Amino acid sequence: MTAECCGYPISIFFIVVNEFCERFSYYGMRAVLVLYFRYFLLWDDDLATSIYHAFVALCYLTPILGAIIADSWLGKFKTIIYLSIVYAIGQVTMAISTIHDITDANRDGTPDNFTFHIALSMLGLILIALGTGGIKPCVAAFGGDQFQEHQSRQLNTFFSVFYLCINAGSLLSTLITPVLRAQECGIHTQQQCYPLAFGVPAVLMVISLVVFIAGSGMYVKTDPEGNIMWSVCKCIGFAIKNRFRHRSSSYPKREHWMDWANEKYDKLLIAQIKMVLKVLFLYIPLPMFWTLFDQKGSRWTLQATTMSGDFVSILISTVNPILILTLVPIMDRLIFPLIQKCGLNFSPLKRMTVGMLFAAMAFVSAALVQIEIDKTLPNFPSSSESQLKVVNTYSTTLNVTISPNEHLLIESFGVQLHTSKHTYSTISCMFVNDFSLIHGEQWCEFSRKFGFGASYTFLIPSTVFSDDCESITEVEDMKPNSVHMALQIPQYFLITTGEVMFSVTGLQFSYSQAPKNMKSVLQAGWLCTNAVGNIIVLIVAELGKLPKQWAEYLLFASLLVAVSIIFSIMAYFYTYIDPAEIEAQVRKEQGLEPEEMEKETLEMEEKDEDQKNEQGVKQTKI
Ligand SMILES: NCCC(=O)N[C@@H](Cc1c[nH]cn1)C(=O)O
């Protein structure tokens, strides 16, 4: 028996703290990454966004690599340690690449050698993607490994707590790192402090590694079982080849196409592959959820920029993790048990389907908000129109006529102005509170707030006739954003409810349905659905340029509804399994196994004894 506290193995404490620090490090770095590209490397918006998405996609593809390393070579424990070291080196490299003083020989505040900074930061990002993606499937599965057969209830709670820690980490870091960036630092010139904003995540990653190592003596470590991935591929390849060779109808059919590997491969391996394939097949529709989910960071954030509410934008980015922190316990303690009390079986796959429907509703809500926003947006001339603005400075109404087949928007202002010379200039500015004009001898100050998204024209009369500030006329060309950001809260609420049902459940499901030696492989497969979802966003953003944003939101919502229907049908035909039970059954069928099973259990007991002894030794040392 391993050390326990309240029915939980003590070792998971270290794993949960490790995950908190790692996610702080990851999300903290991500929060300032685009800003670093945009304002330090001076890339344009498009390049910054593409590289950012490419990086995120890479972070969700590397789990496959991590799972292969763990399951077939190093085991989860060593994989986590080695890849965490790579990860920490990556974070430090990234932090160093943001020190402008390194190449600022002429001390003008901008780096002189951009190639150096770009090369260093790209190296850092590749190491980070390798590290974060590589350890991700291992940490969740390793945490699960700490539990014993009889602790399945605690296992589910563990995955919920695990998700809470992820969000606590991401919440704190997305609040803190932008503040760190806003500090000023530097040797030759004072600059926005990117080294601090990237340095703190680097430190947290080192702490995460130290915490993980500190728990070393307490973990249940399962050994890797040889090159699993390779034998799986060979076995599937053989089954397909063998099936093809015996395609004539004279050969008897077999129950499952994988049974065609029977001639050459172990029954147990075939049974395990069948379990994994069943789950992987079920994963096919899942990327669509992530396609919608990840647009939180792009489309919804852009939507927020066309809305009003000055400082709400900072809060909006923290709405999701805060909601997770409140919703996960509510769902776990209240909603799910209540549904169960009502006699309904709210199985994991049903939860995931409902989660998808919530995400679709979130996009319907986003579409409604968008329609509200569109009503307040100015009319821009389309490609077949031109817009004329006629400013009437004469004291009476003027008639403007135009050839009858032309469409014209006339904005006529009954303002008396004397325009001797036309000097026209447009200034774009952020956070304008004071605006002053020197008007003749006069100093005219407009001390007021100019709304975001608004456009104003100031008509200044010639000083020959008048030099008082009152004669300056202000015209509002475009109204300020007037739809408040608070209207986005329903869509955040809906998508987060969806996330709790879909993502937390999917995490648990992927662990519980995998055979012991393929747990990290399935975790990696689960994370892969996220990568594919992101790639779909990129493709749709490129191809499907719908003229109206609200229509695009509705398109995504209906796509997800369609996909969730397909998923629910697939789920209907899925039977939940207990991988351990199936494995034991296959062993029994094979007949030769009882001995081996005994041997294994003996070995396990021995291991437990060893661990007990180790702990005993430690305790006496203390
Ligand atoms: N609530 C948002 C932060 C969060 O929970 N992330 C989790 C799960 C996840 C993966 N892709 C999107 N979400 C994580 O990083 O593992």
Side-chain angles (χ1 to χ4, degrees), residues 254-386:
R254 297 190 187 181
E255 201 182 314
H256 190 284
W257 62 269
M258 271 309 296
D259 292 332
W260 287 95
N262 275 345
E263 279 95 327
K264 208 169 144 190
Y265 286 88
D266 187 26
K267 278 245 174 57
L268 185 64
L269 180 70
I270 294 173
Q272 288 170 333
I273 294 177
K274 279 186 202 164
M275 297 185 238
V276 169
L277 286 179
K278 257 171 67 178
V279 178
L280 285 182
F281 176 68
L282 211 54
Y283 280 174
I284 294 173
L286 302 190
M288 203 60 215
F289 174 87
W290 298 114
T291 299
L292 273 73
F293 182 82
D294 277 333
Q295 291 188 50
K296 236 169 9 97
S298 50
R299 289 280 191 244
W300 289 14
T301 310
L302 293 175
Q303 183 183 57
T305 63
T306 63
M307 303 174 82
S308 71
D310 289 359
F311 298 102
V312 185
S313 64
I314 303 164
L315 293 178
I316 284 285
S317 64
T318 62
V319 163
N320 167 269
I322 291 174
L323 271 177
I324 286 279
L325 290 175
T326 48
L327 279 179
V328 167
I330 291 177
M331 294 279 186
D332 266 11
R333 295 276 165 104
L334 216 74
I335 312 272
F336 292 153
L338 219 78
I339 292 176
Q340 207 153 25
K341 273 237 173 75
C342 295
L344 291 171
N345 174 24
F346 203 26
S347 67
L349 294 178
K350 277 186 202 154
R351 282 184 206 181
M352 289 171 75
T353 313
V354 174
M356 286 174 155
L357 293 176
F358 268 100
M361 285 195 283
F363 266 58
V364 173
S365 168
L368 293 177
V369 171
Q370 191 62 48
I371 290 170
E372 244 355 85
I373 295 171
D374 285 352
K375 281 185 199 156
T376 68
L377 286 184
N379 282 319
F380 292 106
S382 74
S383 56
S384 58
E385 286 173 342
S386 339

Side-chain angles (χ1 to χ4, degrees), residues 184-195:
E184 294 199 332
C185 62
I187 302 165
H188 304 317
T189 49
Q190 292 294 302
Q191 298 266 318
Q192 289 206 308
C193 206
Y194 288 100

Side-chain angles (χ1 to χ4, degrees), residues 105-252:
N106 60 9
R107 304 187 176 190
D108 66 349
T110 53
D112 299 340
N113 186 351
F114 275 102
T115 321
F116 170 82
H117 291 277
I118 292 172
L120 209 59
S121 57
M122 290 306 115
L123 175 70
L125 287 181
I126 289 171
L127 293 179
I128 292 169
L130 197 67
T132 186
I135 66 174
K136 201 141 180 26
C138 300
V139 177
F142 190 66
D145 286 351
Q146 305 307 310
F147 291 82
Q148 277 148 4
E149 291 286 303
H150 65 275
Q151 291 174 312
S152 65
R153 192 181 58 79
Q154 282 93 337
L155 184 65
N156 274 352
T157 313
F158 160 74
F159 282 117
S160 297
V161 173
F162 192 74
Y163 213 86
L164 284 182
C165 278
I166 290 173
N167 281 276
S170 89
L171 171 62
L172 282 180
S173 67
T174 36
L175 278 174
I176 291 172
T177 50
V179 176
L180 294 178
R181 186 189 80 111
Q183 308 302 307
E184 294 199 332
C185 62
I187 302 165
H188 304 317
T189 49
Q190 292 294 302
Q191 298 266 318
Q192 289 206 308
C193 206
Y194 288 100
L196 193 62
F198 284 98
V200 169
V203 170
L204 259 288
M205 194 49 223
V206 174
I207 295 175
S208 159
L209 179 60
V210 170
V211 169
F212 188 73
I213 294 174
S216 259
M218 299 187 188
Y219 301 131
V220 174
K221 298 169 196 163
T222 43
D223 286 332
E225 314 217 352
N227 203 339
I228 282 289
M229 275 304 245
W230 182 231
S231 12
V232 168
C233 292
K234 275 199 303 196
C235 184
I236 292 176
F238 178 79
I240 294 171
K241 228 169 44 197
N242 203 28
R243 172 77 190 82
F244 188 71
R245 246 190 256 138
H246 300 89
R247 62 187 173 281
S248 120
S249 54
S250 57
Y251 296 104

Side-chain angles (χ1 to χ4, degrees), residues 19 88-89 96 149 180 354 363 385 467 501 532 551 560 577:
E19 180 71 8
I89 294 174
I96 291 173
E149 291 286 303
L180 294 178
V354 174
F363 266 58
E385 286 173 342
D467 63 353
M501 298 208 175
V532 176
L560 190 58
I577 53 156

